[in-house]
Amino acid sequence: MIRILQAFFYPLLSAFLLAAGIPNEFFPLGFPAAGFISLVPLYISLYKAKSFSSAGFRVSLQFGTVHLLSSFWLANFGNYAIFTLGATTLVYFLAGFVFGQILYIPFFYSKKKAAFLREASGLEPYASVFRVLLFTSVWTFHEWFKSIGFLAYPWGTLIMTAYRWNFLTQIVSLTGTWGISFLFSLFSAVCGEGLFLLSRYSRERGAFRYPYTKSYACTASACILLLCCSVLYGIYETNKEREPVKNMEAILVQHNVNSWIINNSKTARSAIQLTEKAMNESPRKADLVVWSESILSFAMPEALEWLDTFPKDNPLLPAIRRINTPLILGIPYTEDAENSLFSNSAVLMNPDGTIENHYGKTQLVPFAEYVPYSEKKWMRTLMFKLAGFSSGWTPGDRYVVFNVPLREGGDVSFSTPICFEDAFPNVCRNLFLQGSELFINITNDSWSETQSAEYQHFVIASYRAQEFRTTLVRCTNSGFTAIVNPTGKITDSLPLFVTDSKQFSIPIYEREITPYAMLGDWLPLSVAAFVLITYFYIEIKRKKQKIFFINF
């Protein structure tokens, strides 16, 4: 019974705690306390595992369950659900099995009798320190690794549980969001190690109390000190006075239509009406109008001539000229007409209805927006049979910064990460380093049909404002449309799944080149190097001494 508890209940408890910490239907913006302790049961379960395969199974169970509980809404992604939920769940089970065995290495060596005795007698005073640090480092690397590359999906992470602890999340301007992964997993590892050592005390009646206490006390103290420093830095940043150097008046349109029913004429009329509504309600003239991702389905620039008369009762281009304000809208753009290659783009239109520039989405949703080898006939045939589609978008090949004049004088440079691109620090960092003063994200998450999906996307995106100390604007089909200040706090918003529009005054702050903007993902790369060097050192020592114990 105890073994079953350790093998099944502890990983599942860890998964439920992590899923509870991530924004969900009960806690819309998450429950940080649950995330903070979510890995404690997993740590204990790994400590009790008897083999690498057993450890792999336990982490596999945790990974897959977290994904199912937190990203269940992927099943609403139409015919793509077989890939977005089914295939990804399988991938997480497999990935968990691999990472579980990596996580188990320090526990495996510590369980050897010789190593146990040397640690208990004080000859291995730093064994518990390295168990904690290796677990923390591997977990941090895992959350970074799952957030990069073609298959990247930065959901289901400790990062997503921390949003409401704004006093702690400010460290992302130094470390990126990986600092949150490190702190949260470190705290869980310290707690897990402490509980295990406490169980040893009760069994051994304090025979080895002093060596255990001394090494563990150092680890726990360092963890507390690191948390205190992070909180103090957070208090400093959240109370720091920031005065905007200029303001931009922007109309955000949340048209709230069904993503799977294409009705361009109805959507265009609604967007025009909502824009004019916001203009009439505001005493100030707007500098920019923003319409969300995939608001229209025909491709630019070929559609320009047609839009001069479409829709018939209120043609789009004449309406744009009447509004007389630069417009950003999400619409396909023809990258290569001869080969029928189209990008999911943000297009900046001038007040006279001409196209100023466009940005093609670079980080595409794997298998939903882009299929590897989709240019091959055999792949198109296979995908059509499996999911009813045979091609997708072509990724953009450049990072674009738009520029619009302000009616009060001067101008503003901004970039437009599209949909879940605002969840990727590397994409936004590249845009920021191109000179962007402001992020304006355009998103269409309405297909999810759940508030948890909308808030999860918002939470992971909100860290971009903190990382680069800039304002983040999100204009969405159905939510969460919001303005986020450089400390990650919401300053204004529209309710979810409501057809509405509003003119917002968006503060623009002086560009601040944060440590994260300069150094990028230095933390996960550093912990990866630490893990590799440590494991290599362990193996060399083991072979040299021909015994199975850690000799730090």
Side-chain angles (χ1 to χ4, degrees):
M1 179 62 70
I2 294 178
R3 289 187 177 182
I4 293 175
L5 185 72
Q6 294 166 354
F8 289 93
F9 177 73
Y10 285 174
L12 288 175
L13 176 59
S14 174
F16 276 96
L17 286 170
L18 181 50
I22 294 168
N24 54 68
E25 299 301 310
F26 302 101
F27 302 102
L29 292 175
F31 185 27
F36 207 44
I37 62 171
S38 62
L39 300 186
V40 175
L42 185 64
Y43 189 93
I44 295 173
S45 184
L46 285 173
Y47 221 138
K48 297 291 187 178
K50 300 297 184 182
S51 66
F52 281 97
S53 59
S54 174
F57 168 77
R58 295 170 193 218
V59 177
S60 174
L61 185 61
Q62 198 263 8
F63 274 27
T65 305
V66 169
H67 184 64
L68 282 173
L69 291 176
S70 62
S71 295
F72 65 92
W73 40 266
L74 287 172
N76 293 329
F77 202 59
N79 293 331
Y80 303 89
I82 187 174
F83 299 104
T84 54
L85 184 59
T88 54
T89 300
L90 177 61
V91 167
Y92 278 112
F93 273 108
L94 296 174
F97 190 77
V98 175
F99 270 99
Q101 297 184 64
I102 298 172
L103 281 167
Y104 183 62
I105 292 175
F107 300 105
F108 168 75
Y109 285 117
S110 295
K111 292 167 77 69
K112 294 298 179 178
K113 187 175 181 179
F116 176 85
L117 292 174
R118 290 174 65 85
E119 181 183 346
S121 63
L123 295 176
E124 298 286 355
Y126 302 112
S128 65
V129 177
F130 276 85
R131 276 194 298 271
V132 167
L133 289 180
L134 287 170
F135 178 90
T136 302
S137 298
V138 172
W139 193 270
T140 302
F141 177 80
H142 146 66
E143 295 209 340
W144 172 76
F145 187 74
K146 79 189 292 286
S147 304
I148 61 171
F150 169 68
L151 294 175
Y153 185 67
W155 271 249
T157 58
L158 290 173
I159 297 163
M160 298 187 72
T161 69
Y163 174 78
R164 290 173 57 196
W165 283 359
N166 189 255
F167 59 87
L168 190 61
T169 62
Q170 301 304 312
I171 61 170
V172 301
S173 64
L174 306 175
T175 65
T177 50
W178 325 119
I180 298 173
S181 301
F182 188 88
L183 282 180
F184 276 47
S185 57
L186 175 64
F187 183 81
S188 283
V190 168
C191 290
E193 184 74 18
L195 289 172
F196 183 77
L197 294 181
L198 187 62
S199 70
R200 275 191 184 181
Y201 294 157
S202 63
R203 291 198 309 271
E204 299 162 11
R205 299 178 183 178
F208 302 118
R209 180 180 296 270
Y210 177 73
Y212 285 168
T213 304
K214 186 175 181 180
S215 61
Y216 176 71
C218 292
T219 310
S221 298
C223 175
I224 294 171
L225 179 62
L226 194 58
L227 286 169
C228 289
C229 290
S230 299
V231 170
L232 289 174
Y233 178 74
I235 293 172
Y236 165 75
E237 284 291 346
T238 52
N239 288 282
K240 182 179 179 180
E241 289 190 13
R242 289 183 172 88
E243 291 295 329
V245 294
K246 49 192 168 184
N247 288 275
M248 181 175 73
E249 296 292 325
I251 293 174
L252 307 185
V253 173
Q254 183 173 288
H255 55 293
N256 192 38
V257 300
N258 189 322
S259 299
W260 304 112
I261 300 176
I262 299 176
N263 189 331
N264 285 308
S265 59
K266 179 180 178 181
T267 302
R269 282 194 294 269
S270 175
I272 294 168
Q273 291 170 1
L274 288 168
T275 301
E276 292 177 335
K277 164 187 167 293
M279 293 182 70
N280 292 333
E281 290 175 349
S282 176
R284 300 176 300 276
K285 289 188 176 182
D287 300 303
L288 181 69
V289 175
V290 187
W291 295 354
S292 77
E293 177 196 24
S294 63
I295 192 166
L296 299 174
S297 63
F298 16 71
M300 294 288 193
E302 293 84 352
L304 272 180
E305 184 176 349
W306 184 42
L307 293 179
D308 216 11
T309 58
F310 177 88
K312 290 183 179 180
D313 55 342
N314 192 5
L316 189 60
L317 284 187
I320 291 174
R321 298 185 188 108
R322 184 172 66 249
I323 293 169
N324 193 33
T325 303
L327 165 70
I328 280 283
L329 72 160
I331 193 169
Y333 196 92
T334 305
E335 303 291 351
D336 185 340
E338 184 177 347
N339 294 302
S340 299
L341 298 179
F342 306 93
S343 63
N344 182 0
S345 290
V347 174
L348 175 61
M349 300 192 69
N350 295 313
D352 61 2
T354 59
I355 295 175
E356 175 67 23
N357 204 349
H358 84 283
Y359 165 68
K361 186 178 182 182
T362 60
Q363 184 79 41
L364 298 174
V365 179
F367 300 106
E369 290 186 318
Y370 177 70
V371 180
Y373 304 107
S374 58
E375 69 278 7
K376 305 294 184 181
K377 184 177 179 180
W378 63 267
M379 177 57 79
R380 292 196 298 269
T381 301
L382 175 64
M383 297 305 297
F384 188 80
K385 288 181 178 180
L386 289 175
F389 70 96
S390 59
S391 62
W393 300 110
T394 187
D397 58 2
R398 61 197 178 102
Y399 293 102
V400 176
V401 174
F402 300 105
N403 188 276
V404 295
L406 299 176
R407 298 187 188 277
E408 65 178 19
D411 56 17
V412 60
S413 298
F414 64 93
S415 53
T416 55
I418 299 171
C419 195
F420 84 152
E421 282 191 320
D422 63 357
F424 295 92
N426 62 313
V427 172
C428 292
R429 179 169 177 261
N430 285 324
L431 291 168
F432 179 78
L433 293 178
Q434 292 291 320
S436 176
E437 299 176 279
L438 170 72
F439 292 137
I440 300 180
N441 169 252
I442 56 175
T443 286
N444 181 3
D445 284 339
S446 63
W447 54 267
S448 69
E449 301 176 6
T450 57
Q451 71 166 2
S452 57
E454 310 294 335
Y455 283 124
Q456 283 177 22
H457 190 170
F458 163 75
V459 162
I460 199 71
S462 70
Y463 294 119
R464 306 295 81 81
Q466 298 174 61
E467 285 169 341
F468 305 104
R469 297 302 176 197
T470 189
T471 303
L472 167 69
V473 178
R474 302 189 76 241
C475 180
T476 70
N477 178 346
S478 58
F480 184 41
T481 297
I483 312 296
V484 182
N485 73 10
T487 63
K489 292 183 178 179
I490 303 167
T491 59
D492 213 336
S493 64
L494 294 177
L496 296 181
F497 298 107
V498 170
T499 303
D500 201 359
S501 62
K502 184 177 178 180
Q503 182 166 314
F504 297 87
S505 183
I506 300 169
I508 313 295
Y509 298 90
E510 185 175 355
R511 276 170 52 84
E512 180 180 342
I513 306 299
T514 63
Y516 180 72
M518 287 190 292
L519 302 175
D521 296 336
W522 65 269
L523 180 58
L525 296 176
S526 298
V527 299
F530 168 74
V531 170
L532 289 174
I533 293 171
T534 304
Y535 283 177
F536 181 74
Y537 176 77
I538 292 172
E539 188 62 19
I540 292 296
K541 281 289 185 181
R542 184 188 70 81
K543 290 182 177 180
K544 184 178 179 180
Q545 300 178 14
K546 297 182 180 180
I547 54 176
F548 291 82
F549 60 80
I550 303 177
N551 186 20
F552 294 114

